[in-house]
Every structure is written in structure tokens, then in C-alpha cells.
Amino acid sequence: IGSGIFSTPSVVSVHVPNPTAGTLTWLLCGLLVWAGAASFIELGTRVPLNGGIQEYLRAGWGDVAGFLFAWVWLGVVRPATMAVIALIFAEHVQWAMGMQDHWVLTKAVALGGVAVITAVNCLGVKSGAKAAGWFLVLKLGMIFSIAGAGVVVGIQEKGGYFFGEELSGTRLVKRAEVRAESIWQEVGEYVTGGLAALWVYGGWEAVSPDPFHLNPP
């Protein structure tokens, strides 16, 4: 569904001194992800096989590396990713419906969401693709509405807060009151915010050309 974009911006904002630094963090992370995606496109043209990272590792370091990656990806990475996304979904549902914030209820809602998505995909490839399409439209609509609201607020306040000033006596972005004791602590704050932004940009590792287009049967 793309839950990262709805939960991570606040994390990034907490670890940067002002919105300008936050915007630069998003920009730099976007360029880093673009470089990774471009590299994967290049790998896809040189190793035109289905399997993505597994095939790239097999071509570079042999069957053992590809085999180990496949098991780690299927047994650890993907389940952990789906668990985090499901929990974020559950927390937002509870907040929207005014439910009590309890870990048992959160896990129950998360498991219910995973079960519904699994059932939809079990109905067939077409039903899964249609559900993904509708979720994409919904996600983009919400993202544009949030961005539009931010632009309106920025125009109304003449952009003063964008450079770290107070906005009508209230900080719209609440940063943790952490005093940097050293330059390394300050760097650590930026790195933490950058890692959160990279979570939102996740999925670039799935970029690959169509092997049938490159090598038609």
C-alpha cells in the first residue's frame, strides 16, 4: 500500500533542525535510490533473467550466494517488511476509528489486513492486480492532498517557518529537544532521518527490464 510515506515523514522531521534540512534529506535519499535503481537496470540488461537480485548474485558470485540470498529474502526480509507495513496499517486504522491503542488489538488488526490481502491475491492474478491498482490510486490521491495542504499553509504563512522560524507561535514540526554534544551526534541525527527516508523509497531493487523483450523466445 505504501504505508511508509504516511508514517516516516514525522520521523525524518524529528531528526533534522528545520524543514529546509528535511527537504534536502529527502532529495539526497531520492538521488541515492535513483542511482541504485539505475544500477539495477544496468544489471538487468546484462543478466536478462527472471529472479532479480538472486540472479545477479549468481552471475557475480556463484550459485551459493544466490541460494543463500533467496532463503534470507523469503524467510526474513519479506516477512519482516510485511509485518512492519501491517502494523503501520493497524495503527492508522485504530487511530482513524478511535479504537483503544492496545498491542493485542493492533496485532489483531494487522493480521486481519494481511489475511484480506492474501485472500484477494488467492482469487487470482487479475484480482490482485486490480486491488494493487486501486490502492495505488488511493495512495497517490492522499499524497497529493497532503502535499497540497502543505503548499497552502506555506503560502499563507509566507514560508517563514520553512527556514526554521516559529509559525504562529507553534512549531508545526516538533523536533526532539536533543542537544548535539559532538559533530558525530549531529551526523547521527541526519543518518537516522536518512534511513527513515530510504524506507519510504523502498522497492527500487525490484526494477528490471523484461527478459522476454531483451531475448525473445
Side-chain angles (χ1 to χ4, degrees):
I1 301 175
S3 56
I5 189 60
F6 301 112
S7 59
T8 304
S10 59
V11 179
V12 177
S13 299
V14 164
H15 294 281
V16 296
N18 53 61
T20 303
T23 302
L24 291 176
T25 299
W26 284 103
L27 178 61
L28 292 176
C29 289
L31 292 175
L32 179 62
V33 169
W34 176 85
S39 300
F40 266 54
I41 293 174
E42 181 68 21
L43 287 170
T45 58
R46 293 179 178 271
V47 187
L49 298 172
N50 284 322
I53 303 176
Q54 178 184 359
E55 294 299 333
Y56 306 152
L57 290 174
R58 286 182 59 191
W61 285 281
D63 292 340
V64 174
F67 176 81
L68 293 177
F69 168 81
W71 277 105
V72 171
W73 187 261
L74 294 174
V76 180
V77 177
R78 292 308 300 170
T81 301
M82 289 186 287
V84 172
I85 293 175
L87 288 173
I88 293 174
F89 165 77
E91 292 174 355
H92 281 74
V93 168
Q94 287 180 261
W95 177 81
M97 300 184 66
M99 298 181 180
Q100 183 179 2
D101 187 11
H102 193 275
W103 68 273
V104 174
L105 181 59
T106 301
K107 290 184 177 180
V109 175
L111 289 174
V114 173
V116 170
I117 294 299
T118 302
V120 171
N121 283 276
C122 286
L123 294 176
V125 177
K126 291 184 178 180
S127 62
K130 288 181 180 180
W134 282 110
F135 278 129
L136 176 62
V137 173
L138 178 62
K139 178 181 69 174
L140 291 178
M142 296 178 67
I143 291 174
F144 282 121
S145 66
I146 294 173
V151 171
V152 171
V153 171
I155 293 175
Q156 290 178 344
E157 299 295 334
K158 299 181 181 179
Y161 180 71
F162 193 80
F163 297 96
E165 301 175 10
E166 299 292 327
L167 182 58
S168 301
T170 304
R171 293 180 65 91
L172 290 184
V173 182
K174 297 181 179 180
R175 188 191 182 202
E177 296 299 331
V178 178
R179 301 301 180 185
E181 298 178 357
S182 67
I183 184 63
W184 293 112
Q185 183 176 351
E186 189 69 21
V187 171
E189 292 289 324
Y190 279 98
V191 170
T192 303
L195 291 175
L198 290 175
W199 160 260
V200 177
Y201 287 120
W204 57 269
E205 70 280 355
V207 176
S208 63
D210 182 1
F212 294 102
H213 176 73
L214 295 175
N215 290 322

